[in-house]
Amino acid sequence: MSTIEQLAETLSQYLPQEQVATVKRAYYYAEQAHDGQKRKSGEHYVTHPLAVAFILADLRMDCDGLTAALLHDVIEDTGISRESLAEQFGEGVAGLVDGVSKLTHLEFNSQLEKQAHNFQKMAMAMADDIRVIMVKLADRLHNMRTLDAMPGHKKRRIARETLDIYAPIANRLGMYDVKVDLESLAFEAYYPMRSRMLKRAINKRYGQREKAMQKLEDFIRSELAADYIDSSISIREKHTYSIYQKMKKKRRSLEEIMDVMGVRIVTDRQDSCYRILGVIHALFKPIEGRFKDYIAVPKSNGYQSLHTTVVGNNGLPLEVQIRTQEMDVVAINGIAAHWSYKSNGQSGISQTNHERATKWVKSLLEIQEKAHNPMEFIDNVKSDLFPDEVYVFTPKGQIIELPSGATPVDFAYGVHTEIGNTCISCRINRRLAPLSTQLESGQTVEIITAKSAQPNVAWLSFAITGKARTNIRHYLKSKQRENAISFGYRLLTRSLNAFRTTVEELAQDSVQVVLDHYQLENMDDLLESIGKGRLVGYVVARQLFPNFNEEELITPKSFKVNGSEGMLISYAKCCSPIPGDPIVGYVQVEKGIIIHHQNCPNIQDHLAAPERYIRMTWSKEIEEELNVSLIVSYVNERGAVAKIASSITDTDFQVSNLDIIERGKISRLRLNIAISSRVGLADVMRRIKAVRCVEKVTRETLVGR
């Protein structure tokens, strides 16, 4: 069993004696505070914080971080207050302990809402001091190492949340060794049978190759020495969970996974890395498409290395990683390397990595501020926690890191929020491309903006980064409220016409009575509720004038659709009305008004609630294009479909879909066309009828199918 004296001996290698003494004092303080408490395993409770401190000592954590690790359960599990800790060890340590304490009882496998809320708390704690999450990761790692003392259902819950949250965070902070340990232990606990079977298969395929691997290591070492390249070489096996994930994601067998075995070569200088790469490619045949230069373009967590996969002497694929000593420390410890180099008075890569991690945490805060609820927050950060990166360039050569599957919209928001909000199109490698295009590493992306442009709701179907999705949703929700207030004003004004008054002429007392009735704060909230269909304009108007004589009411004018209502007006798919059709509107909660053709059978169902039924007409200025389906019956002769399609190619109307629904001597097809008026529809139908093989053209509704 480890002791405080052994920890002190380890710490004395990089901390001054007065700081080692502070850490020892924290241990004795924790020992006294936890006196009488025991773990599930039966050990004295203080063995847990001591083990956490040992894990952080290996990462060269500073004095305050180690002190907080030893005291991290004191506030939560004993009667000692934060103020007492601050008095004894300073406000910095007390703040760290308090931050970790707030994360102690996260139950990620309970309701999704609770998981999201707790992850939000974790992001905020990281933002206050990133050492909070490092202590928490070390705490989780020791808990995973002693998981056998837990009952089976708790084992699975803790293992699942480790795989879902803690391991990805360790990866995002570049703490590779911690991530591997967490994943391996959680995999064994959550999938014990799969873990055993995979280990057995790996051992069967690769386990008897120790002598061959040693021979390979000696061979590479001698070849590098012959070229006067100083290096250290180690051969490793990829950890089981990583192999399992790759097999599952790519649906491949163990034999098809190329990097089960790997060689790591660590050298002294960056230029030596590229020299070693040349030697490796001269000795072994490289596998095409398997080279990656993470030195020139580091990963988002600061990882730097050259990766190449070659065919080894035994015919099996072999991944080779080449990096400098400092890159190796950062690759293994990630952000923790910052404290290691700081304690030695050095900086460089580790400082850059610390800045990257801090930047990421700040981006989490930005997402959290604009997210409207915890569920939206956690949905938006998923892609940031699981990043398979692509690296693209701005026109000036700046590198932007994005998750795999990212689009120019994600790129635009990655550069700056305002660029994302005003982008209208893009150029990829100097060629115009759709904003939905998935980006690939090495491409140069130029965003074209316009001052009057604004985010489009369709972007949410292909934007994947948390920053992009949060900003799009934030803008749309604020814009939707603005539109809803304007739309609600129009609806209420129309209803008040029946009472011979306007919104501006309403008595404040009457308005307040209605606001109190619906538990609303102000007039804007009332108008928004009417605009979104939660309240009906006529019903609100009647409540504003409860004593008005029914016989004196006048019939309100028809509501004119002008196309500026945005998402607050939608068009029923059952009858697909277009400008020029006689229409009626139905007020639906949270959807505003659904417009139907006046003869649509479905509108009869809504007449049971006449207060939600609105007479409507089209404005002369409307230029909105709406989809219409046409059914074309034609003689099935050679080239008939091509002739029908070409009959409307020289018009301004867009065919969105063409589908043959019946084949025979007389066949039928469905054409979906974007039309802006009945006049345009008549023109299209006339052109189609003019095709010699066409027998009949009719407009289709879903109701009539």
Side-chain angles (χ1 to χ4, degrees):
M1 186 183 291
S2 301
T3 66
I4 183 59
E5 295 304 327
Q6 290 171 323
L7 176 65
E9 189 178 334
T10 301
L11 298 181
S12 63
Q13 296 172 18
Y14 72 95
L15 286 181
Q17 282 306 310
E18 62 270 17
Q19 292 187 4
V20 175
T22 301
V23 174
K24 287 177 73 174
R25 185 162 62 88
Y27 168 79
Y28 292 121
Y29 190 93
E31 186 179 44
Q32 188 174 354
H34 291 295
D35 186 36
Q37 294 179 353
K38 293 198 173 181
R39 304 196 82 215
K40 294 277 186 187
S41 60
E43 296 175 298
H44 289 292
Y45 194 89
V46 77
T47 58
H48 168 63
L50 182 61
V52 172
F54 264 103
I55 292 169
L56 292 173
D58 288 340
L59 299 173
R60 294 292 197 265
M61 177 54 75
D62 63 4
C63 177
D64 280 1
L66 290 160
T67 304
L70 288 163
L71 301 168
H72 76 268
D73 282 332
V74 165
I75 292 178
E76 190 69 34
D77 295 340
T78 73
I80 294 170
S81 66
R82 174 187 168 140
E83 290 70 26
S84 299
L85 279 186
E87 191 178 323
Q88 285 288 328
F89 298 98
E91 185 56 40
V93 170
L96 281 171
V97 174
D98 191 41
V100 177
S101 296
K102 287 173 182 174
L103 307 179
T104 299
H105 294 299
L106 297 182
E107 295 180 15
F108 286 103
N109 224 31
S110 59
Q111 311 95 348
L112 280 174
E113 187 70 34
K114 192 170 184 180
Q115 174 182 345
H117 180 71
N118 285 331
F119 186 73
Q120 239 182 356
K121 287 201 301 185
M122 186 179 287
M124 295 178 75
M126 282 193 285
D128 287 338
D129 192 324
I130 207 146
R131 288 174 296 182
V132 169
I133 197 61
M134 292 181 67
V135 174
K136 188 62 189 173
L137 287 171
D139 170 57
R140 174 50 58 112
L141 180 54
H142 184 249
N143 283 335
M144 291 304 297
R145 287 173 178 172
T146 56
L147 202 57
D148 286 340
M150 289 286 188
H153 71 282
K154 282 196 174 181
K155 259 190 191 181
R156 286 179 59 81
R157 178 182 64 76
I158 294 168
R160 185 73 262 170
E161 73 184 33
T162 300
L163 290 173
D164 285 348
I165 300 294
Y166 290 101
I169 288 176
N171 180 55
R172 197 61 181 75
L173 298 176
M175 299 169 69
Y176 179 78
D177 276 8
V178 172
K179 170 213 165 200
V180 167
D181 284 350
L182 287 172
E183 286 181 342
S184 300
L185 292 164
F187 184 46
E188 286 175 21
Y190 198 77
Y191 296 116
M193 190 176 292
R194 295 182 198 186
S195 177
R196 283 196 301 271
M197 289 177 68
L198 188 54
K199 280 181 180 175
R200 200 177 300 135
I202 292 169
N203 193 50
K204 185 177 178 181
R205 182 168 167 80
Y206 296 94
Q208 308 304 318
R209 303 183 184 273
E210 288 90 347
K211 287 185 179 178
M213 291 294 107
Q214 187 60 52
K215 189 176 178 182
L216 175 66
E217 186 178 325
D218 293 340
F219 173 62
I220 294 172
R221 185 177 288 107
S222 64
E223 290 294 328
L224 292 178
D227 277 9
Y228 303 101
I229 301 173
D230 185 29
S231 64
S232 62
I233 303 168
S234 60
I235 293 184
R236 59 169 182 86
E237 182 183 287
K238 207 174 187 79
H239 71 290
T240 319
Y241 184 69
S242 176
I243 297 170
Y244 169 74
Q245 284 290 84
K246 197 161 274 192
M247 290 169 67
K248 184 180 173 185
K249 185 178 178 182
K250 299 188 176 181
R251 297 187 178 183
R252 292 179 180 174
S253 65
L254 180 62
E255 289 73 19
E256 294 174 291
I257 302 297
M258 289 192 172
D259 51 358
V260 173
M261 300 302 292
V263 177
R264 182 175 297 158
I265 304 174
V266 180
T267 186
D268 54 348
R269 299 197 317 272
Q270 187 169 306
D271 63 334
S272 297
C273 294
Y274 293 94
R275 288 174 61 202
I276 292 170
L277 179 69
V279 173
I280 295 297
H281 280 182
L283 295 174
F284 307 100
K285 183 181 178 181
I287 296 174
E288 190 177 350
R290 298 285 300 173
F291 169 67
K292 290 178 181 174
D293 187 345
Y294 292 122
I295 292 179
V297 185
K299 286 189 176 185
S300 56
N301 60 12
Y303 176 89
Q304 286 186 284
S305 187
L306 295 179
H307 285 204
T308 186
T309 305
V310 298
V311 179
N313 293 332
N314 51 13
L316 292 172
L318 188 72
E319 185 187 57
V320 182
Q321 298 176 353
I322 308 164
R323 59 181 75 139
T324 66
Q325 290 160 355
E326 188 175 356
M327 290 174 194
D328 191 50
V329 173
V330 172
I332 293 169
N333 294 335
I335 189 174
H338 172 70
W339 281 274
S340 175
Y341 279 96
K342 192 176 177 183
S343 67
N344 294 328
Q346 300 175 13
S347 58
I349 295 176
S350 62
Q351 178 63 31
T352 305
N353 197 42
H354 183 262
E355 289 167 2
R356 283 172 186 270
T358 305
K359 184 180 177 183
W360 174 64
V361 173
K362 284 182 179 176
S363 76
L364 287 186
L365 269 195
E366 184 183 335
I367 292 171
Q368 188 258 336
E369 285 170 7
K370 292 185 177 178
H372 288 74
N373 56 62
M375 288 296 292
E376 186 178 312
F377 170 71
I378 200 166
D379 176 56
N380 288 341
V381 299
K382 277 178 184 173
S383 62
D384 292 326
L385 271 181
F386 304 95
D388 266 338
E389 294 103 339
V390 294
Y391 301 93
V392 292
F393 298 90
T394 67
K396 292 184 178 179
Q398 180 189 351
I399 298 170
I400 302 291
E401 305 153 5
L402 295 167
S404 179
T407 63
V409 169
D410 298 301
F411 173 88
Y413 280 102
V415 174
H416 196 279
T417 302
E418 196 55 38
I419 291 175
N421 283 341
T422 57
C423 75
I424 53 172
S425 61
C426 71
R427 288 190 182 93
I428 299 175
N429 293 340
R430 299 184 180 180
R431 292 187 178 182
L432 283 171
L435 288 173
S436 58
T437 306
Q438 288 197 3
L439 299 175
E440 297 175 6
S441 288
Q443 291 177 328
T444 298
V445 184
E446 179 187 353
I447 299 297
I448 301 165
T449 61
K451 287 184 180 178
S452 59
Q454 59 189 39
N456 188 324
V457 67
W459 293 357
L460 289 172
S461 65
F462 52 78
I464 66 167
T465 59
K467 185 174 183 182
R469 294 182 66 81
T470 300
N471 279 289
I472 294 165
R473 281 177 170 155
H474 178 71
Y475 183 89
L476 290 174
K477 284 185 178 177
S478 59
K479 191 69 178 176
Q480 188 182 40
R481 173 173 163 83
E482 186 183 313
N483 287 343
I485 291 170
S486 173
F487 190 44
Y489 177 86
R490 288 179 63 195
L491 289 171
L492 185 58
T493 298
R494 174 186 173 278
S495 298
L496 289 174
N497 285 339
F499 298 85
R500 299 182 174 84
T501 189
T502 65
V503 174
E504 288 76 17
E505 293 171 351
L506 291 172
Q508 186 57 43
D509 291 347
S510 301
V511 172
Q512 194 58 51
V513 169
V514 173
L515 292 177
D516 292 343
H517 175 74
Y518 290 114
Q519 297 181 332
L520 298 170
E521 290 289 324
N522 51 48
M523 191 64 178
D524 279 353
D525 290 346
L526 179 65
L527 295 175
E528 182 188 8
S529 293
I530 295 171
K532 287 185 175 179
R534 295 177 199 146
L535 303 176
V536 178
Y538 177 77
V539 174
V540 171
R542 202 74 191 81
Q543 288 172 309
L544 288 166
F545 297 96
N547 301 318
F548 200 87
N549 188 345
E550 293 282 344
E551 295 178 0
E552 294 181 16
L553 288 173
I554 60 174
T555 304
K557 295 178 182 177
S558 296
F559 186 94
K560 286 195 174 182
V561 182
N562 58 27
S564 64
E565 297 84 4
M567 292 178 285
L568 298 166
I569 275 192
S570 56
Y571 302 90
K573 291 180 179 178
C574 53
C575 52
S576 301
I578 61 171
D581 286 343
I583 52 173
V584 293
Y586 179 73
V587 180
Q588 191 164 334
V589 178
E590 295 301 333
K591 290 188 177 180
I593 294 179
I594 313 294
I595 297 179
H596 288 260
H597 192 289
Q598 193 167 283
N599 299 326
C600 175
N602 283 344
I603 201 67
Q604 307 311 312
D605 300 336
H606 301 324
L607 293 177
E611 71 279 0
R612 289 187 172 271
Y613 173 86
I614 298 178
R615 291 192 307 120
M616 307 192 80
T617 56
W618 300 98
S619 170
K620 290 180 181 178
E621 294 78 29
I622 190 165
E623 295 178 358
E624 193 165 2
E625 288 196 340
L626 301 170
N627 282 318
V628 174
S629 291
L630 298 178
I631 301 297
V632 182
S633 300
Y634 62 96
V635 177
N636 192 1
E637 60 182 48
R638 191 179 185 87
V641 175
K643 290 174 187 174
I644 294 168
S646 64
S647 68
I648 51 175
T649 53
D650 59 342
T651 68
D652 293 332
F653 304 117
Q654 193 83 25
V655 177
S656 58
N657 192 36
L658 187 153
D659 182 27
I660 297 173
I661 55 177
E662 189 179 318
R663 293 182 186 273
K665 191 173 180 180
I666 301 296
S667 296
R668 296 168 71 229
L669 66 81
R670 181 182 296 115
L671 273 173
N672 290 336
I673 307 175
I675 294 289
S676 59
S677 68
R678 286 177 65 124
V679 175
L681 177 62
D683 180 42
V684 168
M685 292 176 75
R686 187 171 61 252
R687 285 170 180 268
I688 295 172
K689 281 177 185 174
V691 178
R692 186 175 55 81
C693 62
V694 172
E695 295 277 310
K696 186 180 179 183
V697 183
T698 56
R699 181 175 167 190
E700 184 201 38
T701 66
L702 294 179
V703 173
R705 286 188 188 178

